[in-house]
Amino acid sequence: MIRHIALMTWSEEATDEQKAAVAEGLAALPAVIPQLRRFNLGTDLGLAPGTSDFAVVAEFDSVADYEVYRDHPAHQAVLAERIKPILAGRAAVQVTL
């Protein structure tokens, strides 16, 4: 099992509508990428200073399944059209479970 975790920080100029569009676009991915075993996303609750603004946690059966997700045209479209225009910073890790 592979777990992918991505943390994103939005630019100061990012609007609430743009942030909602990111969540909406990402939430649609499990319906078109069957390799996603588990997929959670959410906005930071603001409970501590210095955190990221948004997180994605995805689980896959194999590295090959992760690569399908990573390279899938629907995922790439969300990245290019919704995330990158408001992205100030990103960190990601892939780990085995």
Side-chain angles (χ1 to χ4, degrees):
M1 183 77 66
I2 303 295
R3 181 175 287 160
H4 164 69
I5 303 165
L7 303 172
M8 291 164 266
T9 303
W10 305 135
S11 67
E12 300 257 341
E13 299 80 22
T15 67
D16 289 341
E17 291 80 15
Q18 288 174 304
K19 295 173 194 177
V22 168
E24 179 183 301
L26 289 170
L29 294 180
V32 296
I33 306 174
Q35 290 80 3
L36 280 162
R37 285 286 169 229
R38 191 169 291 143
F39 194 68
N40 297 60
L41 53 95
T43 300
D44 181 63
L45 297 175
L47 303 178
T51 59
S52 297
D53 295 315
F54 193 83
V56 173
V57 180
E59 292 181 5
F60 308 89
D61 288 335
S62 66
V63 170
D65 285 353
Y66 162 73
E67 290 170 340
V68 168
Y69 161 80
R70 182 194 65 197
D71 300 335
H72 195 283
H75 180 234
Q76 289 298 313
V78 172
L79 289 172
E81 297 165 13
R82 300 182 187 212
I83 293 175
K84 288 182 181 179
I86 63 170
L87 189 65
R90 178 184 177 274
V93 63
Q94 295 80 42
V95 298
T96 57
L97 299 179

